[in-house]
Amino acid sequence: MGYKFTVWRGQKDGRVTEDTTERPAHTGDQVYINVTHSGVSGTDLHFLSSGIALGHEGAGVVEAIGPEVKALKVGDRVGWGYAFDSCATCDKCLDGYPILCDKPIYYGITNQDSGSFATGAVRKESFVFRIPDGLPSEQAAPLMCGGISVFAPLMLCGVKPSNTVGVVGMGGLGHLAVQFARAMGCEVVVFSQTDSKREDALKLGASCFVTTKGKTDLTADVPSKIHHLLVTTNQLPDWDLFFPVLAKGSSIYPLTATEPGAQFALPHPQFLGNGTKVQSSMPSKKTFSDMLRFAARNNVRAVIECEPMSIEGINRVLDRLKDAKVRYRGVLCKH
């Protein structure tokens, strides 16, 4: 017996339509998931007119398991992100980084008729992650892309509790980055164009909030040099403004998708003289489980706006996302 479930698909004219996806009976290490929640990401806007089933921040309950499933059981709450599968044999897959697979299988590229804006999903066991008891599913969903994007560099790139972490942008990713970095013991400095989110940033754990609009020098505003700078805005910052506040040997992490064809350009003399590194966010599979446990243990919680899992709910949250009015993550809820 196979599966038939509802998905919500973007269309070329930007509309969202309801559709049906069919899957054969699960085999091997596949699990069938009753989707209960989905985060809504800026990446979904990039794919809105591509005709694919939308959504890549899923959470739900396992309803059936294949004969080769080893750890998950029916009734487990699980989450999943943008990676669906991998070749499992290339060097990066063997290192535990399937997102860097030579033949990547993830959202927007393959399996385009199944996303997390859906009532169901079939996924491989090794690409879904058990949600800890202390973390509600509506909170887990936005962590599966937005959360992992900011957690991975903090976890994997040598961030120390004695470091100062800078967060450029106080939005869907930025407000999670503040919480993760603070829970790791770091001093956190938020950079934002305007002052409107100052109170939120300080409440979530930032020790300093710096407005950048109209500024030509930030050195007097920053209490200590930045060791790790997480850029969570779609527009890249003015690097001439930021390099003077970066510590020697600092790292820069550009974390969000910009417009196609956008160039990442740094001032060459400052880049060389500062010994700065640039690193994208590429989590291992283990990092997803680590993140969920860390968030549950340290009370890292997205600030969310919930809408029903329906065309009306999807359109409302996408419209607010287009207008940059979501504070700070949209979540679709089946119930």
Side-chain angles (χ1 to χ4, degrees):
M1 184 184 76
Y3 299 99
K4 184 182 290 187
F5 48 88
T6 300
V7 298
W8 283 272
R9 187 185 300 275
Q11 301 296 332
K12 289 185 178 180
D13 61 2
R15 293 181 303 117
V16 175
T17 59
E18 187 174 298
D19 199 0
T20 299
T21 286
E22 294 190 48
R23 286 286 190 271
H26 56 268
T27 59
D29 66 345
Q30 291 179 332
V31 298
Y32 176 70
I33 304 164
N34 171 22
V35 181
T36 60
H37 298 85
S38 175
V40 183
S41 164
T43 304
D44 297 316
L45 292 179
H46 288 291
F47 287 107
L48 183 58
S49 61
S50 65
I52 70 169
L54 297 169
H56 60 290
E57 294 183 335
V61 179
V62 174
E63 285 201 347
I65 61 175
E68 297 175 19
V69 170
K70 297 177 180 178
L72 293 175
K73 63 184 184 300
V74 172
D76 282 344
R77 290 186 307 125
V78 295
W80 68 94
Y82 39 81
F84 294 161
D85 201 351
S86 70
C87 75
T89 59
C90 71
D91 286 347
K92 285 303 177 183
C93 282
L94 294 175
D95 281 342
Y97 290 84
I99 194 65
L100 295 175
C101 177
D102 289 341
K103 299 176 181 179
I105 301 172
Y106 52 77
Y107 178 65
I109 293 180
T110 54
N111 292 350
Q112 296 185 354
D113 63 340
S114 177
S116 58
F117 294 10
T119 59
V122 176
R123 295 289 185 270
K124 296 187 70 171
E125 178 185 32
S126 56
F127 284 83
V128 299
F129 307 94
R130 186 181 284 108
I131 299 172
D133 290 341
L135 187 64
S137 293
E138 65 270 23
Q139 286 290 335
L143 296 181
M144 302 314 299
C145 178
I148 197 67
S149 295
V150 297
F151 182 80
L154 294 171
M155 181 75 174
L156 300 174
C157 296
V159 176
K160 301 174 182 177
S162 57
N163 289 161
T164 298
V165 172
V167 179
V168 182
M170 180 62 188
L173 270 66
H175 90 289
L176 290 170
V178 170
Q179 294 180 71
F180 277 125
R182 185 66 189 91
M184 291 177 180
C186 300
E187 182 175 33
V188 184
V189 179
V190 172
F191 299 92
S192 184
Q193 285 200 324
T194 69
D195 206 47
S196 64
K197 298 176 181 177
R198 176 186 294 272
E199 184 178 349
D200 288 349
L202 297 177
K203 189 178 298 183
L204 291 173
S207 50
C208 180
F209 186 95
V210 178
T211 54
T212 59
K213 190 173 184 178
K215 297 280 184 68
T216 58
D217 186 355
L218 300 178
T219 53
D221 299 315
V222 178
S224 58
K225 296 272 187 167
I226 306 296
H227 300 94
H228 300 270
L229 187 70
L230 280 64
V231 181
T232 72
T233 51
N234 290 327
Q235 297 296 320
L236 294 173
D238 177 356
W239 295 115
D240 288 329
L241 188 62
F242 275 86
F243 260 92
V245 298
L246 295 181
K248 297 290 185 180
S250 57
S251 296
I252 296 171
Y253 309 94
L255 301 179
T256 56
T258 57
E259 293 301 318
Q263 299 295 308
F264 187 84
L266 295 175
H268 197 232
Q270 294 96 314
F271 173 71
L272 289 180
N274 223 46
T276 297
K277 301 180 286 293
V278 178
Q279 174 69 52
S280 61
S281 176
M282 289 298 171
S284 68
K285 286 199 289 189
K286 182 177 182 298
T287 312
F288 280 88
S289 296
D290 289 342
M291 173 197 65
L292 292 170
R293 288 192 295 265
F294 186 92
R297 185 168 62 244
N298 291 281
N299 201 35
V300 173
R301 298 290 185 267
V303 177
I304 61 175
E305 296 181 1
C306 292
E307 289 284 357
M309 188 88 74
S310 65
I311 287 179
E312 295 78 12
I314 292 168
N315 281 329
R316 277 196 296 269
V317 72
L318 289 177
D319 286 344
R320 286 181 59 76
L321 191 59
K322 290 174 191 174
D323 295 336
K325 292 181 178 179
V326 175
R327 287 205 177 184
Y328 286 95
R329 296 293 287 186
V331 177
L332 301 172
C333 307
K334 182 183 289 186
H335 304 297

